[in-house]
């Protein structure tokens, strides 16, 4: 039997702090994943479910977007092709706990609002469509057909389709994503904000500009055959655990790893592979050869210095630069001298270390650069990634085996959703293809992204919100402002698997539409269906759930979209919506005609390992940029001014959460147990600020807005002494989101700056 959901809320006084972990994974990781699985779904269901995870005829892990081994690359899948956190993600979805009509009858919305994200998520799977009508205190069950009528009426009442915003989180399958954007564009708007706006948008912007395509250029085999891997602004031990197996292979082949991070993340330092004897009993593999403990936001200065050193050493790959790039002279002109004082200030690193790293870069014949949120969620995130591209271009590291760019994606299908058209500014070519395939007019005016959607809600320009998965309120910045914005909407609709804060932040009329998850069987009139997804390395493959659905009321995301479309667009609409729901092959035939690189989609996704989407720079050193070449760029670091007595805060993930879904209250690798309202600060900073470890403080962020200094608060955090870079602090997302100002965004990508918030601490 599974254990019940916690009745009590979190007791912050239960916080315990120990030594940060020594090595990632190992047997402890295996035990934790089994324990969680059994707690949530019982022994029998665990035994049925986990063996199907990431297998060819099973389902794609709903955890991160790290790829699976492929036979084509000479790799065999193991029996347990998953990690501790993948197993936890499955347990969360396959849980036997249920949130049905009785739950909502028992708990008024006003009470649920007071609960933590952890408590809400732990209550279980949503089982019935529910509605909260204007003036009601409780959600009540509603029939599906009536739900679609209410939503369609609400949308039709708007003065313009642009008054609605249609959000997507990155778990939505390719089939559902393709139909969703078709529905939204048929309705008449490009307002398709998504989680990617808060995630790898900076990578997309920087890569499109420099190499012509916003995706990574490496395969799993490239990473594993590199002789140098840079892991910058990323915590793979927690967020992409199976990446550690690949890094271990790099080490075994004699390659080197450089970790650039303000925190000595356990997984980057050492890894115990539970799948071999050394990982089970020994000390594990040491991963990072060089750990550059950088200050938050210092990466642009670091990479500028590295590039100057590469130029100075004459280590430029002239053939590559002459043959395939544009803008080298202008770049080289400004990249000659390193301003060591400015670099030290921005990075906090010693000159000797930067020179050592430059040496490693210069000696490397096959370099891969990996990064994640530590780079993208900064004001100069786009510029920083462009500067990393400069480094790879100088060394000719794009479009050859064992080398390239590797933005490591978050959600399991966030990359696929973009490929399928979930973007507020899809290129004209895609829109034109969509229009001609379906014979419906498609709007061309760019839509709103996530931050602009919140702004538009605040000024009354957006009045209806539909979320295809995700947890908009807890994931976005400036929580208090976002809550008000959402509450001001006339209509809010959340298509979800589990209860979350967005459900208890209703607009005037609010609906919860429960849906099938990845692990569940999807049976339609045309038989049992599978869906397709794309991983971080552009591999598209099938995913098929096997468990019985959490309730007989659940319908798939595809079915929800098709039924809403029929209600909203009417029976005369030229798109044959009913044909899609019966048989997903029909959707895939349209995908093949519209989405670049997807010809013959139905056949190719049925290959055992799926297929790899084209990537011109990787495949043939073709760069589809404006200049037709890979572009060098000139990037100028702007120092982040932190006033005296203040710290620079990053908001990050613990080892026991999936974004806004909290699995548990501990962060094992960082030695934090049973408490999430903590702020990690360097011991010397704690002393200098006049506090002691364990003190209870309110955290206040300071932001220079257009109308002067703005302050935002998050109360009652415990100070934890932690070996982070000096002057820097860390707190968990989403608890710290009220501190992130809505207007603090990355240049070009409009991504919230979640990794550099100026804060002060006050005794609580
Ligand atoms: N188990 C689990 N897996 C996940 C997720 C999850 O929540 N749980 N989330 C998924 C999603 S959507 C995403 S996007 C990814 C996120 O994966 P990550 O990007 O690894 O996630 P974060 O916890 O935000 O960690 C950011 C890392 O960057 C470092 N960092 C912060 N600022 C800087 C900086 O200025 N410079 C440098 N060099 N480093 C910096 C932090 O110390 C931290 O190690 O993980 C995905 N996988
Ligand atoms: N301060 C701060 N804020 C951040 C970040 C940060 O590092 N710091 N990271 C940002 C990043 S990288 C991201 S990606 C966003 C994440 O933002 P979101 O994607 O919006 O958030 P999640 O927590 O992943 O969404 C969880 C919810 O998705 C629903 N769900 C799960 N599986 C399915 C499914 O199969 N179908 C459907 N329909 N629903 C499902 C469940 O109901 C669950 O409650 O947050 C961003 N916000
Ligand atoms: S590395 Fe990511 S995709 Fe792979 S099993 Fe772990 S969570 Fe799932
Ligand atoms: Mo993400």
């Amino acid at each position: 039997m599974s254990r019940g959901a916690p009745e009590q809320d979190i007791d912050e006084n239960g916080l315990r702090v120990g030594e940060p972990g020594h090595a990632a994974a190992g047997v402890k990781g295996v035990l934790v994943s089994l324990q969680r699985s059994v707690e949530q779904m019982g022994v029998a269901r665990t035994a049925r479910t986990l063996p199907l995870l990431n297998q060819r005829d099973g389902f794609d892990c709903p955890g991160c977007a790290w790829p699976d081994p492929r036979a084509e690359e000479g790799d065999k899948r193991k029996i347990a092709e998953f990690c501790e956190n993948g197993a936890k993600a499955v347990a969360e979805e396959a849980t036997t706990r249920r949130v049905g009509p009785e739950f909502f009858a028992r708990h008024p919305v006003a009470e649920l609002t007071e609960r933590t994200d952890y408590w809400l998520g732990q209550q279980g799977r949503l089982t019935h469509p529910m509605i909260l009508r204007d003036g009601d205190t409780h959600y009540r069950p509603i029939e599906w057909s009536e739900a679609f009528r209410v939503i369609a009426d609400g949308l039709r009442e708007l003065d313009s389709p642009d008054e609605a915003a249609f959000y997507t989180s990155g778990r939505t399958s390719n089939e559902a994503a393709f139909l969703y954007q078709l529905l939204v564009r048929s309705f008449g708007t490009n307002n398709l904000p998504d989680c990617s706006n808060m995630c790898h948008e900076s990578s997309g912007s920087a890569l499109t500009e420099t190499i012509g395509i916003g995706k990574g250029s490496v395969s799993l085999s490239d990473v594993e055959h590199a002789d140098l891997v840079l892991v910058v602004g990323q915590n793979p031990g927690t967020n992409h655990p199976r990446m550690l197996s690949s890094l271990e292979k790099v080490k075994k082949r004699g390659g080197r790893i450089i970790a650039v991070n303000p925190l000595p993340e356990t997984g980057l330092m050492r890894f115990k592979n539970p799948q071999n004897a050394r990982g089970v009993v020994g000390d594990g593999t040491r991963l990072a050869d060089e750990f550059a403990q950088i200050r938050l936001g210092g990466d642009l200065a670091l990479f500028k210095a590295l590039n100057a050193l590469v130029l100075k050493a004459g280590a430029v790959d002239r053939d590559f630069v002459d043959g395939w790039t544009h803008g080298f002279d202008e770049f080289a002109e400004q990249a000659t001298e390193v301003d060591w004082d400015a670099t030290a200030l921005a990075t906090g690193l010693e000159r000797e270390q930067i020179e050592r790293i430059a040496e490693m870069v210069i000696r490397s014949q096959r370099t891969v650069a990996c990064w994640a949120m530590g780079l993208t969620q900064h004001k100069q995130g786009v510029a920083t990634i462009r500067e990393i591209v400069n480094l790879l271009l100088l060394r000719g590291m794009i479009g050859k085996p064992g080398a390239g760019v590797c933005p490591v994606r978050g959600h399991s299908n966030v990359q696929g959703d973009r490929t399928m058209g979930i973007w507020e500014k899809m290129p004209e070519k895609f829109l034109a293809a969509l229009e001609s395939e379906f014979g419906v007019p498609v709007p061309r005016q760019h839509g709103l992204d996530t931050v602009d959607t919140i702004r538009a809600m605040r000024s009354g320009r957006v009045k209806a919100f539909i979320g295809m998965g995700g947890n908009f309120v807890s994931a976005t910045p400036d929580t208090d402002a976002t809550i008000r914005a959402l509450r001001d909407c006339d209509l809010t609709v959340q298509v979800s698997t589990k209860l979350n804060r967005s459900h208890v932040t209703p607009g005037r009329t609010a609906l919860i539409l429960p849906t099938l998850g990845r692990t569940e069987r999807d049976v339609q009139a045309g038989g049992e269906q599978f869906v397709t997804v794309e991983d971080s390395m552009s591999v598209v493959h099938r995913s098929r759930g096997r468990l019985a659905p959490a309730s007989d009321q659940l319908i798939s995301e595809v079915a929800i979209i098709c039924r809403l479309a029929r209600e909203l667009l009417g029976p005369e609409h030229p798109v044959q919506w009913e044909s899609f729901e019966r048989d997903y092959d029909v959707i895939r035939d349209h995908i093949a005609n519209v989405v670049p690189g997807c010809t013959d989609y139905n056949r190719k996704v049925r290959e055992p390992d799926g297929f790899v989407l084209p990537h011109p720079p990787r495949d043939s050193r073709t760069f589809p940029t404006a200049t037709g070449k890979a572009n060098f760029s000139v990037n100028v670091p702007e120092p982040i001014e932190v006033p005296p007595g203040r710290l620079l805060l990053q908001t990050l993930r613990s080892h026991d959460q999936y974004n806004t879904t909290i699995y548990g209250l501990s962060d094992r690798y960082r030695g934090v147990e049973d408490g999430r309202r903590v702020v990690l600060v360097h011991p010397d900073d704690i002393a200098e600020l006049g506090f002691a470890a364990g003190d209870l403080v309110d955290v206040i962020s300071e932001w220079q807005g257009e109308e002067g200094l703005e302050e935002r608060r998050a109360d009652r955090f415990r100070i934890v002494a932690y070996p982070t870079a000096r002057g820097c602090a860390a707190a968990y997302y989403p608890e710290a989101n009220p501190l992130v100002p809505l207007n603090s965004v990355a240049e070009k990508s409009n991504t919230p700056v979640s990794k550099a918030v100026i804060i002060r601490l006050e005794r609580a």
Side-chain angles (χ1 to χ4, degrees):
M1 257 326 281
S2 67
R3 219 170 57 181
E7 283 301 319
Q8 295 301 313
D9 237 330
I10 306 175
D11 175 8
E12 283 307 324
N13 295 324
L15 175 70
R16 285 176 289 134
V17 180
E19 284 291 303
H22 174 63
V27 174
K28 176 84 180 170
V30 177
L31 291 179
V32 169
S33 62
L34 278 179
Q35 179 201 336
R36 277 304 155 69
S37 304
V38 172
E39 268 173 35
Q40 294 276 356
M41 52 184 173
V43 175
R45 208 166 154 89
T46 301
R48 249 194 343 265
T49 314
L50 291 186
L52 291 168
L53 183 45
N54 287 334
Q55 297 300 325
R56 291 196 174 95
D57 55 350
F59 57 90
D60 180 56
C61 176
C64 71
W66 190 253
D68 304 316
R70 307 182 77 235
E72 216 172 80
E73 293 174 10
D75 253 326
K76 282 215 275 294
R77 293 190 193 202
K78 309 211 170 51
I79 295 166
E81 200 51 73
F82 59 89
C83 69
E84 171 192 348
N85 280 346
K88 287 193 224 160
V90 168
E92 282 287 310
E93 182 179 298
T95 180
T96 47
R97 300 172 190 165
R98 297 288 177 266
V99 172
E102 333 69 55
F103 174 91
F104 287 105
R106 240 185 2 256
H107 300 283
V109 174
E111 178 217 309
L112 294 174
T113 313
E114 298 302 312
R115 299 294 192 166
T116 60
D117 290 271
Y118 174 53
W119 188 92
L120 293 170
Q122 290 300 307
Q123 301 310 306
R125 285 288 299 276
L126 296 158
T127 61
H128 283 69
M130 306 293 299
I131 186 165
L132 183 73
R133 294 185 196 270
D134 198 6
D136 272 3
T137 52
H138 293 69
Y139 271 102
R140 288 185 234 211
I142 181 173
E143 294 294 321
W144 279 107
S145 52
E146 176 63 11
F148 293 126
R149 220 161 16 244
V150 173
I151 300 167
D153 285 348
L155 291 173
R156 274 193 300 258
E157 272 164 26
L158 300 171
D159 288 336
S160 142
D162 289 329
E163 290 186 350
F166 297 82
Y167 178 71
T168 315
S169 165
R171 264 192 203 170
T172 297
S173 66
N174 283 349
E175 288 74 8
F178 183 75
L179 292 185
Y180 188 53
Q181 60 85 34
L182 177 63
L183 161 67
V184 172
R185 294 191 162 111
S186 300
F187 176 57
T189 180
N190 280 309
N191 286 349
L192 283 157
D194 67 351
C195 68
S196 207
N197 297 143
M198 300 179 270
C199 187
H200 268 293
E201 196 70 63
S202 302
S203 308
S205 295
L207 293 177
T208 304
E209 207 180 315
T210 53
I211 64 166
I213 171 168
K215 298 181 181 183
S217 73
V218 295
S219 66
L220 196 55
S221 158
D222 288 328
V223 175
E224 293 173 354
H225 288 85
D227 66 18
L228 180 67
V229 180
L230 302 165
V231 185
V232 192
Q234 198 201 341
N235 178 20
T238 286
N239 297 314
H240 305 92
R242 279 194 309 152
M243 181 175 169
L244 298 188
S245 310
S246 297
L247 294 179
E248 192 187 33
K249 287 188 192 158
V250 170
K251 292 307 298 266
K252 292 227 169 97
R253 294 190 171 118
R256 312 245 238 146
I257 293 166
I258 298 172
V260 184
N261 203 305
L263 302 176
E265 304 285 28
T266 302
L268 286 172
M269 309 316 263
R270 221 165 238 294
F271 170 51
K272 284 184 166 187
N273 191 338
Q275 274 162 346
N276 65 37
R278 216 146 56 87
V280 175
V281 289
D283 214 18
T285 310
R286 185 169 152 220
L287 289 183
D289 296 273
E290 195 70 59
F291 168 50
Q293 185 162 35
I294 199 162
R295 286 190 44 142
L296 289 168
D299 304 83
L300 177 50
L302 168 65
F303 281 93
K304 274 207 86 111
L306 291 174
N307 285 335
L309 293 172
V310 168
L311 276 170
K312 203 159 152 198
V316 175
D317 180 339
R318 284 304 332 182
D319 287 347
F320 182 84
V321 168
D322 294 343
W324 283 282
T325 71
H326 170 89
F328 172 76
D329 292 341
E330 200 189 333
F331 168 76
E333 212 168 287
Q334 54 86 51
T336 43
E337 283 309 312
V338 184
D339 179 344
W340 286 111
D341 289 341
T343 306
L345 209 63
T347 63
L349 301 175
E350 305 274 347
R351 175 172 177 167
E352 292 70 44
Q353 185 176 33
I354 298 179
E355 287 174 341
R356 261 198 324 272
I357 294 174
E359 256 324 291
M360 290 167 80
V361 169
I362 290 167
R363 272 205 307 273
S364 162
Q365 297 304 308
R366 295 180 308 279
T367 309
V368 168
C370 303
W371 70 86
M373 297 305 99
L375 294 192
T376 63
Q377 298 175 336
H378 277 289
K379 179 159 181 246
Q380 290 199 287
V382 177
T384 306
I385 296 161
R386 280 196 307 239
E387 197 63 29
I388 293 184
V389 173
N390 284 339
L391 176 70
L392 296 177
L393 296 183
L394 281 178
R395 301 278 307 132
M397 292 296 169
I398 298 211
K400 71 172 193 184
V405 284
C406 182
V408 185
R409 302 277 163 174
H411 266 300
S412 52
N413 198 39
V414 63
Q415 188 160 318
D417 291 349
R418 274 290 165 94
T419 306
M420 294 297 132
I422 302 289
W423 195 24
E424 73 280 358
K425 40 183 188 242
M426 259 339 248
E428 171 58 27
K429 211 168 151 215
F430 181 96
L431 299 177
L434 195 65
E435 205 162 53
S436 85
E437 175 75 4
F438 293 102
V440 288
V442 167
R444 295 305 201 275
Q445 194 195 332
H446 286 175
L448 300 170
D449 65 9
T450 295
V451 164
D452 285 338
T453 294
I454 301 170
R455 290 177 176 147
M457 282 176 179
R458 294 182 68 180
S459 63
R461 283 174 293 129
V462 160
K463 297 180 175 135
F465 175 89
I466 320 281
M468 185 54 61
N471 180 3
F472 192 75
V473 163
S474 291
T476 50
D478 227 339
T479 314
D480 300 333
T482 308
I483 287 178
R484 282 196 301 276
L486 215 62
R487 283 187 185 281
D488 277 347
C489 286
D490 291 329
L491 176 70
T492 54
V493 180
Q494 312 287 347
V495 180
S496 314
T497 52
K498 306 213 43 190
L499 187 66
N500 65 45
R501 181 152 312 282
S502 297
H503 305 121
V504 299
T505 312
R508 251 172 294 285
T509 300
L511 289 104
I512 300 174
L513 306 182
T515 192
L516 295 175
R518 283 278 170 83
T519 52
E520 288 162 328
R521 194 172 291 140
D522 183 355
V523 183
Q524 303 291 345
E528 193 169 328
Q529 306 296 315
F530 66 85
V531 293
T532 55
V533 291
E534 175 184 343
D535 66 31
S536 203
M537 296 181 183
S538 305
V539 182
V540 178
H541 61 89
R542 282 176 299 166
S543 172
R544 186 151 70 97
R546 296 294 181 77
L547 295 178
S551 133
D552 58 8
Q553 288 284 311
L554 297 189
I555 62 176
S556 70
E557 289 182 346
V558 165
I560 290 175
I561 295 161
C562 292
R563 292 184 204 180
L564 175 60
R566 288 207 297 272
E567 190 66 44
L568 178 65
L569 305 170
E572 304 302 313
H573 196 254
V575 178
Q576 302 293 305
W577 292 99
E578 59 288 339
S579 65
F580 302 147
E581 194 183 326
R582 285 195 87 249
D583 179 358
Y584 297 180
D585 273 355
V586 179
I587 312 172
R588 286 185 282 267
D589 283 340
H590 288 290
I591 290 176
N593 296 338
V594 173
V595 181
C598 291
T599 341
D600 212 5
Y601 196 71
N602 262 313
R603 185 188 59 76
K604 288 196 290 197
V605 297
R606 285 176 163 85
E607 297 289 329
D609 283 333
F611 73 102
V612 186
L613 282 167
H615 188 291
R618 177 197 66 205
D619 302 337
S620 59
R621 289 197 167 167
T622 307
F623 297 94
T625 58
T627 60
K629 302 256 171 127
N631 291 319
F632 277 99
S633 59
V634 174
N635 307 295
V636 184
E638 297 162 16
I640 305 176
E641 310 274 355
V642 183
R646 281 24 177 198
L647 297 166
L648 200 56
L649 175 84
Q650 64 157 320
T651 60
L652 41 47
R653 294 155 173 81
S654 78
H655 192 63
D656 225 2
Q657 70 183 88
Y658 194 88
N659 296 339
T660 70
T661 303
I662 314 302
Y663 303 151
L665 302 181
S666 297
D667 193 3
R668 195 171 82 238
Y669 291 164
R670 299 197 184 105
V672 177
E673 298 278 334
D674 293 327
R676 289 184 50 89
R677 287 187 85 83
V678 292
V679 52
L680 313 184
V681 186
H682 192 280
D684 295 347
D685 287 320
I686 300 179
E688 213 171 278
L689 294 170
F691 293 104
D695 279 357
L696 197 60
V697 290
D698 295 339
V699 185
I700 296 107
S701 70
E702 300 178 353
W703 166 250
Q704 206 57 52
E706 269 169 19
E707 283 158 26
L709 188 74
E710 296 172 15
E711 295 198 342
R712 289 171 175 76
R713 312 180 63 90
D715 289 342
R716 303 180 71 75
F717 280 63
R718 288 239 181 247
I719 299 182
V720 170
Y722 202 83
T724 174
R726 280 299 304 273
C728 299
Y732 299 126
Y733 136 70
E735 286 80 354
N737 285 42
L739 299 168
V740 184
L742 186 64
N743 287 335
S744 176
V745 289
E747 288 158 357
K748 283 215 159 176
S749 64
N750 217 25
T751 293
V753 178
S754 307
K755 299 282 193 271
V757 183
I758 293 172
I759 56 160
R760 63 170 198 271
L761 306 178
E762 286 179 2
R763 219 166 281 282

